[in-house]
Amino acid sequence: MRSIKIYILLSILFSGFTIANAENVRVRILSTKIIKSFIFSPISGSYTIYGDGILLKDYDPTGIFQMAIEGDSIRLKTFEKNIGKFASLKMIAKETIAAFKVKSVDPASRIRTYDDNLEVSISADKSQLQVINTVDLEKYIAGVVESEAGKNSSLEYYKLQAILCRTYLLSHINRHILEGFELCDDVHCQAYLSRASEDNDLKAVLETKGLVVVDNELNLITAAFHANCGGETCNSQDVWAISTTYLKSVKDTFCLHETAATWQRTISLEDWKSYLQVKHKTPPNDSLKNDVTTSFNQQNGRAIYYVDKDLKIPLKTIRADFKLKSTFFSIQPIGDSLKFTGRGYGHGVGLCQEGAMRMAKLKYNYQDILHYYYKDVHLVDLSALNYFKQE
Ligand SMILES: [Zn+2]
Ligand SMILES: [Zn+2]
C-alpha cells in the first residue's frame, strides 16, 4: 500500500518536476473578459511573429500591434498597415529575457505586462480571442506571488508565498488542459495579473526553487490562504466539508492589528427578519423581536452556525448571502438595526496572509511560518526525491 502511495506521489511529483525543469507553463491571460480586440507591444527584448505557424519576416514586432476577432479569423494590424487575417498568432521572444505589454481594447482595460511569449487563437465557440502567455515557470510564480501578496512585503514572506504558489501550480497543472492551456490568470486558479515588478519576488522564487509542501501521506497539500483570519483560522471541514490533516484551526495573534483585522456592517432588523423567514423558513412570529434572539456572539471564538432557538444556519451561508468579509462576526441589536461587528477577511482556512506577513517582519523564518499555519506538513525539494525511486 505504501509503495503504491509513493509511486503515485512520484508520478505527481516527477511529472511536476518535469514541468519544473521544462521551461514553460501555459497560462490564459485576460481570462475574465470576453476579448474581442487587444494590443500587444514588446517592452524589452525582441520578438518574432508567426501567423498560422509561418514566420512573418517582413514584420519585426517592435511597435504596437492590434489583434481583433473578425469572423473566424484574427485580424492583425499595426497603426499604419493591415497585415492580414490568421487563425492563430504567436509572438515568440528571441532572448531569454523579454517582456511585453498587452491592453484589451474591446472591452477596454488597463495595461498589463508579462514575460516571454504570447499565443493568440479563437475560442471554440468563435466568440472571443484566447490569449495565452507561455512563460518560464519560475517567472510565472514570481508574477503570482506579486499578484497574491501585493508589493512591499518582506523577502521571507515572498519565499513562503512562492512555495505555496508552486505547490498549488503543480497540483493543479491540468485544470484547463482540455481548453488548450494549463491555468487561468484569475483567482479560480491563481491571480496572475502581471509579471513581477519587484526584484524580491523573483529572488524569493529562485531561492526556494523546487520546494513544495506535502502532508504526512506525501501528497501535495491544498495550500489554502486568505487575507486575515481575525485571530483564529478555520478547520477545512467547517468551511468546505473536506477534512484534511493540515488545515486545522489555530489561534493567531499576529494579524490582530493589521489592515483587515476588523469590519462593521449595519443591517436593518426588518431585512434580517425577512431574510430568515424567506430563505430559512423561520415561522413568521415575533420571536426575533427581542434582543436575546437577535444577539449573536463569537467574541470567545469562532462558531460554525448562527444559532437562534429555532435556527441552525451555517455562517458561511450568511456570509455569502450578505457578502460579508468573514463568518467571524457578532451581532448586536441597536434600535431598528443590527450591528455586525466582524473580524478578519476571507474564508479563514490555512495561511493568514496578514498574520504571516507580520511574522516575517518579526523575523520568523518561512519554515516557522509555514508550520504555524499548516499542521504536520513537510517541505520537500523535488530534486531530492530521487532516492524514493529505489524503494
Ligand atoms: Zn482557472
Ligand atoms: Zn490571522
Side-chain angles (χ1 to χ4, degrees):
M1 186 63 190
R2 184 167 164 78
S3 62
I4 291 172
K5 210 159 232 169
I6 287 174
Y7 174 76
I8 293 167
L9 167 83
L10 288 173
S11 310
I12 296 167
L13 290 183
F14 283 98
S15 67
F17 187 49
T18 311
I19 292 153
N21 279 324
E23 297 100 56
N24 294 327
V25 53
R26 291 167 59 78
V27 189
R28 183 174 184 186
I29 57 173
L30 306 173
S31 69
T32 57
K33 297 191 162 64
I34 309 273
I35 304 293
K36 303 280 189 189
S37 161
F38 74 99
I39 54 175
F40 163 94
S41 179
I43 52 176
S44 66
S46 54
Y47 282 79
T48 45
I49 180 166
Y50 292 82
D52 297 337
I54 296 163
L55 177 66
L56 304 180
K57 279 199 212 96
D58 299 337
Y59 299 96
D60 187 22
T62 50
I64 296 173
F65 288 76
Q66 180 164 19
M67 290 167 235
I69 191 163
E70 204 175 288
D72 54 5
S73 304
I74 309 162
R75 168 75 66 188
L76 175 68
K77 57 186 183 182
T78 64
F79 282 133
E80 300 87 32
K81 201 169 161 55
N82 248 314
I83 299 174
K85 294 207 301 186
F86 304 91
S88 70
L89 288 160
K90 287 187 184 179
M91 309 302 206
I92 306 293
K94 287 183 189 168
E95 294 94 22
T96 49
I97 295 177
F100 60 87
K101 57 186 173 188
V102 286
K103 183 183 188 313
S104 178
V105 175
D106 178 10
S109 75
R110 288 193 295 179
I111 292 173
R112 295 190 189 184
T113 61
Y114 289 102
D115 292 298
D116 300 345
N117 305 325
L118 186 80
E119 294 179 18
V120 189
S121 59
I122 297 170
S123 64
D125 66 357
K126 314 277 185 219
S127 67
Q128 58 182 304
L129 296 175
Q130 186 163 282
V131 186
I132 292 169
N133 179 207
T134 307
V135 57
D136 173 84
L137 182 124
E138 302 297 335
K139 289 181 194 165
Y140 162 75
I141 293 171
V144 173
V145 167
E146 187 163 307
S147 302
E148 297 277 9
K151 296 181 182 179
N152 305 319
S153 281
S154 62
L155 177 61
E156 205 62 17
Y157 179 76
Y158 283 140
K159 285 185 195 171
L160 177 59
Q161 189 84 53
I163 292 164
L164 299 183
C165 292
R166 185 179 298 108
T167 303
Y168 184 94
L169 164 70
L170 296 179
S171 58
H172 291 80
I173 195 77
N174 289 325
R175 205 160 196 197
H176 289 282
I177 210 77
L178 295 175
E179 298 159 80
F181 51 98
E182 284 155 346
L183 296 151
C184 72
D185 64 348
D186 187 31
V187 289
H188 170 260
C189 289
Q190 304 193 95
Y192 174 56
L193 306 179
S194 75
R195 67 196 290 259
S197 63
E198 300 254 320
D199 289 345
N200 262 352
D201 291 331
L202 200 54
K203 198 171 170 209
V205 170
L206 295 175
E207 287 185 12
T208 62
K209 193 168 181 177
L211 287 183
V212 292
V213 189
V214 295
D215 66 11
N216 273 338
E217 304 271 294
L218 302 179
N219 298 307
L220 291 165
I221 69 162
T222 298
F225 57 87
H226 58 278
N228 187 311
C229 72
E232 184 180 345
T233 69
C234 300
N235 295 308
S236 59
Q237 67 267 28
D238 296 339
V239 179
W240 298 323
I242 297 166
S243 183
T244 62
T245 52
Y246 49 91
L247 298 172
K248 295 292 180 196
S249 174
V250 294
K251 301 276 187 200
D252 179 8
T253 53
F254 293 101
C255 62
L256 293 179
H257 303 290
E258 302 303 311
T259 316
T262 57
W263 55 269
Q264 289 201 338
R265 174 87 174 267
T266 302
I267 293 170
S268 79
L269 182 59
E270 208 50 48
D271 287 351
W272 184 245
K273 281 167 67 177
S274 112
Y275 168 72
L276 295 180
Q277 282 160 7
V278 173
K279 173 141 188 183
H280 299 289
K281 311 287 182 244
T282 63
N285 58 27
D286 286 342
S287 69
L288 291 168
K289 254 189 184 165
N290 65 60
D291 290 358
V292 178
T293 47
T294 49
S295 288
F296 177 65
N297 191 339
Q298 293 192 76
Q299 274 157 11
N300 297 323
R302 284 184 180 266
I304 301 168
Y305 297 100
Y306 170 80
V307 185
D308 175 81
K309 67 180 164 87
D310 303 315
L311 300 174
K312 202 178 179 194
I313 305 169
L315 291 170
K316 62 182 179 183
T317 305
I318 296 172
R319 180 189 174 211
D321 290 339
F322 286 90
K323 298 188 170 44
L324 302 176
K325 286 186 173 173
S326 69
T327 59
F328 199 2
F329 56 81
S330 296
I331 306 175
Q332 187 189 4
I334 298 178
D336 291 339
S337 299
L338 298 177
K339 185 174 155 196
F340 284 60
T341 306
R343 299 165 64 178
Y345 193 172
H347 51 60
V349 182
L351 178 116
C352 166
Q353 284 182 298
E354 288 193 339
M357 286 177 194
R358 179 81 190 134
M359 287 182 82
K361 275 194 191 124
L362 294 171
K363 305 294 179 207
Y364 287 87
N365 63 35
Y366 69 82
Q367 294 92 334
D368 291 338
I369 306 172
L370 175 80
H371 294 296
Y372 188 78
Y373 290 105
Y374 301 103
K375 295 299 149 199
D376 300 326
V377 296
H378 312 278
L379 271 171
V380 183
D381 188 329
L382 292 173
S383 62
L385 281 171
N386 281 322
Y387 74 95
F388 275 122
K389 276 183 173 170
Q390 274 96 52
E391 239 193 58

